[in-house]
Amino acid sequence: MKCRICKAEAVVALRSHNAAFCATCYKAFFARQVERGIVSQHLFTHDERVLVALSGGKDSLSLVLELSRQGYDVTGLYIDLGIPGSSAAARGVVERFCTRHALRLIIKTTADEGLHIPLIKEKLHRPICSVCGKIKRYLFNREALAGGFDALATGHNLDDETARLFSNTLRWDGSYLSDQGPRLGEEPGFARRVKPLWRLTEFETANYAFLMGIEHHYAPCPYSSGASFTTLKGILQRLEAAMPGRKLDFYQGFLQRGRTAFAQGSPGDDQQLAPCRQCGSPTSNGDLCGICRIREALNTP
Ligand code: AMP
Ligand code: ZN
């Protein structure tokens, strides 16, 4: 198999793009897809400052490396959740990566915020993955606003995005469907949230990470029973195998034509936001935001 661009021996074949690439041309293909994703959805410009949430996984590390190679102004953010057997290793990977590539890195530890995840798991009888996700999003937003960043980027890829879209569609969840896409947020009190890898699949990102020699953290979280949307991702994978390119079509079609249909939102989702008494974050919960309630519950004997 020959590279479509330079006719050298190919190392990656992509059926969805009906193409094969050598290592050099594959990196250029990946870069082009990231750039198209950013420009077409107006995610951010070269004059803006982007905070990139780094989990230690291949997606977010590939993302920050590619953005920095393209000359974007990036800073990494790692949230240390204090999960035994997972967080310290991931943190080490992120720290070594940022040192090696001379990237700025901010580290926040949830224990310092009164939000130690193992303690929450022990004391509060709530699904830990959803609490943990909530805390991460809260800290992403707070750090982006506090540091004066223009956008907060995560490593979500096309597989993550199409699985979420599929899930929202199966439920015809109007409020979620109107609030999905590679660029969100920017109401008062919320930072712009962007997903520059939205055009690239997990497989394509994994190839990039491999070719770039990225060391990443892949131990699953001990608190989680597995990746989210596993079943839906499997179904979409089978669809893609039978009809290459359908995943990107599905998502792009939604962005171009589907999303506007839900833009009015659903009845009942026009909740009023007011600042949390404790931390000032916008909340529809009334007096205290969800995160400050968790803190309070932890402090109650
Ligand atoms: P996940 O929900 O674990 O699939 O992660 C989705 C994205 O959230 C990743 O690509 C990262 O950008 C970000 N992320 C997840 N966990 C962390 C963390 N502990 N610290 C910083 N960013 C994270
Ligand atoms: Zn609060």
Side-chain angles (χ1 to χ4, degrees):
M1 213 173 14
K2 301 284 178 227
C3 171
R4 173 163 90 179
I5 312 294
C6 73
K7 312 299 176 210
E9 198 56 40
V11 295
V12 188
L14 300 178
R15 286 186 64 207
S16 55
H17 293 267
N18 198 17
F21 296 102
C22 71
T24 308
C25 295
Y26 183 77
K27 290 175 196 170
F29 158 82
F30 187 89
R32 229 168 25 246
Q33 293 298 320
V34 173
E35 183 66 5
R36 270 179 77 180
I38 294 169
V39 173
S40 68
Q41 293 293 316
H42 311 285
L43 300 190
F44 45 81
T45 66
H46 279 92
D47 300 324
E48 294 185 303
R49 293 175 59 234
V50 184
L51 185 62
V52 186
L54 302 177
S55 62
K58 58 185 168 9
D59 298 296
S60 51
L61 294 181
S62 297
L63 171 62
V64 75
L65 182 59
E66 182 52 36
L67 292 181
S68 111
R69 283 164 63 93
Q70 295 192 16
Y72 286 104
D73 182 340
V74 288
T75 300
L77 170 65
Y78 177 71
I79 309 291
D80 187 337
L81 302 154
I83 298 176
S86 170
S87 297
R91 179 175 172 155
V93 165
V94 171
E95 284 176 326
R96 281 194 297 281
F97 181 87
C98 289
T99 304
R100 177 174 161 202
H101 296 285
L103 297 167
R104 287 179 295 268
L105 173 64
I106 298 171
I107 296 185
K108 288 284 149 188
T109 304
T110 55
D112 298 343
E113 310 276 341
L115 294 164
H116 194 43
I117 304 291
L119 193 63
I120 295 176
K121 182 171 157 55
E122 188 193 305
K123 282 195 79 172
L124 306 188
H125 300 284
R126 290 175 54 176
I128 192 65
C129 293
S130 88
V131 175
C132 182
K134 223 181 235 176
I135 291 173
K136 280 192 273 188
R137 286 191 296 276
Y138 175 86
L139 292 175
F140 292 169
N141 191 56
R142 199 192 66 188
E143 290 307 309
L145 293 177
F149 290 93
D150 298 287
L152 179 283
T154 53
H156 292 97
N157 57 40
L158 183 64
D159 292 289
D160 300 321
E161 285 298 278
T162 47
R164 178 175 299 276
L165 177 59
F166 193 16
S167 163
N168 291 338
T169 307
L170 286 173
R171 288 179 285 109
W172 291 112
D173 191 321
S175 59
Y176 279 102
L177 283 165
S178 66
D179 193 28
Q180 185 179 350
R183 175 180 172 145
L184 300 170
E186 281 184 297
E187 297 111 278
F190 293 102
R192 184 193 318 163
R193 284 177 286 138
V194 295
K195 298 166 187 167
L197 296 185
W198 68 270
R199 297 182 58 85
L200 290 145
T201 63
E202 205 166 307
F203 173 75
E204 289 163 351
T205 308
N207 272 302
Y208 178 80
F210 175 75
L211 294 174
M212 297 302 285
I214 293 175
E215 176 210 358
H216 55 89
H217 174 75
Y218 48 82
C221 173
Y223 292 168
S224 153
S225 53
S228 47
F229 301 127
T230 315
T231 307
L232 296 183
K233 279 186 176 174
I235 293 170
L236 288 167
Q237 211 50 39
R238 296 220 301 278
L239 175 72
E240 182 71 19
M243 304 163 91
R246 286 316 287 271
K247 256 191 313 212
L248 189 56
D249 283 352
F250 177 47
Y251 193 64
Q252 263 184 310
F254 166 72
L255 294 180
Q256 287 160 5
R257 297 180 299 281
R259 192 165 49 165
T260 45
F262 300 97
Q264 301 304 316
S266 302
D269 66 14
D270 53 339
Q271 295 159 323
Q272 290 298 312
L273 295 180
C276 164
R277 164 167 61 81
Q278 198 73 44
C279 74
S281 294
T283 176
S284 57
N285 273 351
D287 189 32
L288 279 183
C289 76
I291 301 297
C292 289
R293 279 172 200 234
I294 293 171
R295 269 198 202 104
E296 204 174 63
L298 281 184
N299 290 329
T300 326

